[in-house]
Amino acid sequence: MDIDTGSASGGAGFAHPLLAWLADVDAGIDAAIECPTLSLPLDQYEPALRQIAVCEAKLASLRLRLTRQAELNEVRKLTGAANAAGWVQQVTRMGRREASVSVRLAKALDQTLQATGRALGEGGISLGQAQVIERAIRRLPNDVDAEVKAEAEAFLLDSAQALDTDDLDRAGKHLYEVIAPEDAERRIGKQLEEQERRARENRTLSFGPVRDGMGTIFMRLDVPTLAILQALLDPLARPRPTGPDGPDLRSSERRQADAFAELLGQAQAAVDAPNRGIVRPRLTLTMSYDGLVNKVGYATLNSVLADSGPTHLKVQTHSDEDGSGGQEVIGYRITGPPLSATLVRQLACDAEIIPVVLGGDGAVLDLGRGTRLFTYAQRHALAERDGYYCHFPGCRRPEKWTEAHHIHHWIDGGATDLNNGVLLCQHHHTVIHTKGWTVRMGSDGHPEYIPPPWVDPYQNAIRPNDDTVIRR
């Protein structure tokens, strides 16, 4: 930035000594920049860098003193700036926040933190350290007297000789505990109570729009609620042990999301889940019968979640060769996001999902069946038969984290009986439905698994409790 040593207010050719000195400093800095550093001896790098830091601190002190004087003289009025920070922003091209911080620090160094101002002017502390000290003193309670604040400033100035900016900031946050330990606990307790009250009142949760099968939740929670959620998710989010389906390659974020989905499933299935009257939390899905049986098409999740899918019932009229005709429903009214037929079949195994099955004319063929879900007693019997954990080979997730899967699917006519059920965790339940694995009842009365050809080209049956591989 070029410096004009002339002054319209001071008369033609007048140069204030400060401007003349700054012109010399500017020329000296230019010379220093042009000086090659390649020949600088290695043992002189440190003193050179320290001297530059001292010069920066002294120049920062000068800038702050000038800023403070400009504020007192209301120089801002010459440019029409609304306040001193606006003027500083115009002149230096600082950001708005940085300019405001600069003006506040300049005022503090002039009024209440004069020792810090002197230390900065001597190059004994950096500008960053001066900002940390100002912030720490400002955070002290309003009723702390000036003498105590002076002691606090002296403590931080002394600490600044050994601490960098980050460590000094940490010390500043605990400043009151150092200067008034007998009162700190009471004050901190009250501050935390107020902070926690505000946090509880400001808890928010909202749902964003659904796009491409994905939605977003926006949450702001108080610390205890976050801690509880983290504690609930932690055991569910641990990497799965390597098994027949390979190692767990999910990212930590993916594992947390999967754990959250599993936690919701457990909450929904709980005996004391939130309810209205005697109705437990349920979801309703609408889908055509042919699509559900043949695993094609999609279903509608009746929900307040917004989606940009089809919005009207669409009926296509067609004529046959014999002159007869008919109508085919090719779309359904969407009140929520669409789900694939494969996912609907999985959800129908062991979830509070009511499948509304429509015929070709849109008539309701089935509104769920009371015998679709395994009872608590049946789940207990399945666990007793196969072990109190996910039955998939190599998995040991506890029984309470599992879902009851119909070996011969309920939609395809399978009964909700013990010889047609197996307990699987949510991940391996998905594997069975989507990854080519099949499960069948073995000759020993326990389920066994057939891997897809790309896992085992011979597709040997696997029994979780048997180390031997059974040939088909």
Side-chain angles (χ1 to χ4, degrees):
M1 183 181 296
D2 292 334
I3 299 173
D4 183 5
T5 58
S7 174
S9 61
F14 173 80
H16 190 280
L18 175 61
L19 294 176
W21 180 88
L22 288 175
D24 292 339
V25 171
D26 187 50
I29 292 177
D30 286 343
I33 291 175
E34 294 174 1
C35 180
T37 58
L38 184 62
S39 59
L40 185 68
L42 297 182
D43 61 349
Q44 294 182 22
Y45 272 76
E46 180 178 335
L49 191 59
R50 288 185 182 277
Q51 187 59 43
I52 291 173
V54 169
C55 292
E56 287 178 339
K58 291 181 177 182
L59 282 173
S61 173
L62 179 60
R63 175 174 59 81
L64 291 169
R65 285 170 51 203
L66 191 62
T67 298
R68 176 57 176 162
Q69 197 62 45
E71 181 181 23
L72 293 174
N73 292 336
E74 296 187 320
V75 176
R76 63 178 179 81
K77 293 182 178 180
L78 297 177
T79 61
N83 49 41
W87 177 77
V88 170
Q89 185 179 6
Q90 289 177 358
V91 175
T92 65
R93 296 190 291 276
M94 288 183 182
R96 181 180 303 176
R97 182 180 180 279
E98 185 182 5
S100 298
V101 170
S102 181
V103 171
R104 187 178 66 214
L105 177 60
K107 183 177 180 179
L109 297 183
D110 178 50
Q111 292 185 334
T112 58
L113 301 178
Q114 295 178 357
T116 301
R118 288 193 297 271
L120 181 64
E122 296 167 358
I125 61 173
S126 69
L127 174 62
Q129 289 176 315
Q131 291 172 331
V132 167
I133 293 172
E134 185 276 330
R135 187 166 57 243
I137 299 300
R138 180 163 41 86
R139 280 196 297 246
L140 292 174
N142 293 330
D143 58 350
V144 173
D145 58 44
E147 184 179 345
V148 174
K149 288 184 178 180
E151 292 177 6
E153 181 186 12
F155 167 77
L156 290 176
L157 283 172
D158 184 59
S159 300
Q161 305 308 309
L163 301 179
D164 61 27
T165 304
D166 293 335
D167 289 336
L168 187 64
D169 187 48
R170 279 188 281 270
K173 291 177 180 177
H174 299 283
L175 181 61
Y176 196 71
E177 299 174 52
V178 175
I179 63 174
E182 68 286 348
D183 194 41
E185 186 173 352
R186 178 185 63 83
R187 286 185 181 272
I188 292 172
K190 285 191 174 183
Q191 291 172 358
L192 288 175
E193 287 177 5
E194 177 61 21
Q195 178 179 300
E196 290 160 0
R197 181 190 63 79
R198 290 197 304 268
R200 288 191 298 270
E201 292 178 353
N202 292 325
R203 287 186 297 201
T204 59
L205 189 152
S206 59
F207 294 90
V210 175
R211 294 291 183 270
D212 300 325
M214 292 290 290
T216 305
I217 297 177
F218 303 94
M219 288 193 296
R220 295 181 70 246
L221 301 175
D222 55 297
V223 172
T225 303
L226 280 174
I228 292 172
L229 178 61
Q230 187 178 39
L232 289 171
L233 293 179
D234 183 60
L236 301 176
R238 293 172 183 167
R240 292 186 297 268
T242 300
D245 55 336
D248 191 347
L249 301 179
R250 297 174 299 165
S251 66
S252 60
E253 292 84 0
R254 167 68 188 279
R255 287 190 281 108
Q256 290 284 350
D258 289 349
F260 187 70
E262 191 169 346
L263 180 66
L264 292 180
Q266 292 183 31
Q268 186 186 38
V271 175
D272 56 350
N275 63 76
R276 292 182 177 178
I278 60 172
V279 180
R280 294 172 62 189
R282 288 175 177 169
L283 298 177
T284 303
L285 292 166
T286 303
M287 189 172 187
S288 71
Y289 174 77
D290 290 340
L292 192 59
V293 171
N294 297 322
K295 293 189 279 188
V296 296
Y298 65 92
T300 298
L301 174 61
N302 297 337
S303 166
V304 296
L305 294 175
D307 188 83
S308 56
T311 58
H312 299 287
L313 181 69
K314 296 180 181 179
V315 179
Q316 178 175 288
T317 303
H318 60 88
S319 298
D320 298 332
E321 294 181 357
D322 59 1
S324 62
Q327 292 180 325
E328 178 184 2
V329 179
I330 61 173
Y332 305 98
R333 182 173 180 81
I334 294 287
T335 56
L339 301 179
S340 70
T342 299
L343 180 56
V344 173
R345 289 171 67 91
Q346 178 181 337
L347 293 173
C349 279
D350 187 31
E352 286 294 325
I353 302 291
I354 302 175
V356 181
V357 183
L358 303 182
D361 58 358
V364 176
L365 299 180
D366 188 21
L367 190 62
R369 294 204 296 266
T371 58
R372 178 173 64 87
L373 300 181
F374 285 89
T375 66
Y376 175 80
Q378 286 177 310
R379 286 179 56 91
H380 183 79
L382 290 173
E384 188 69 28
R385 182 193 70 192
D386 298 326
Y388 285 86
Y389 43 77
C390 170
H391 190 259
F392 194 87
C395 186
R396 286 297 182 270
R397 290 208 159 193
E399 175 266 335
K400 64 180 180 179
W401 297 353
T402 61
E403 301 167 351
H405 169 70
H406 290 76
I407 295 176
H408 181 53
H409 205 287
W410 170 84
I411 290 172
D412 299 327
T416 307
D417 296 331
L418 295 180
N419 60 2
N420 192 43
V422 62
L423 298 180
L424 299 170
C425 69
Q426 187 182 62
H427 167 71
H428 288 116
H429 195 184
T430 303
V431 166
I432 292 296
H433 277 273
T434 64
K435 300 298 184 182
W437 286 76
T438 58
V439 56
R440 68 187 183 189
M441 188 58 68
S443 58
D444 62 348
H446 293 275
E448 59 188 25
Y449 300 83
I450 310 298
W454 55 87
V455 174
D456 178 6
Y458 300 102
Q459 293 192 286
N460 296 316
I462 301 175
R463 291 177 178 172
N465 298 322
D466 189 350
D467 293 333
T468 61
V469 177
I470 305 170
R471 294 286 179 182
R472 296 188 65 183

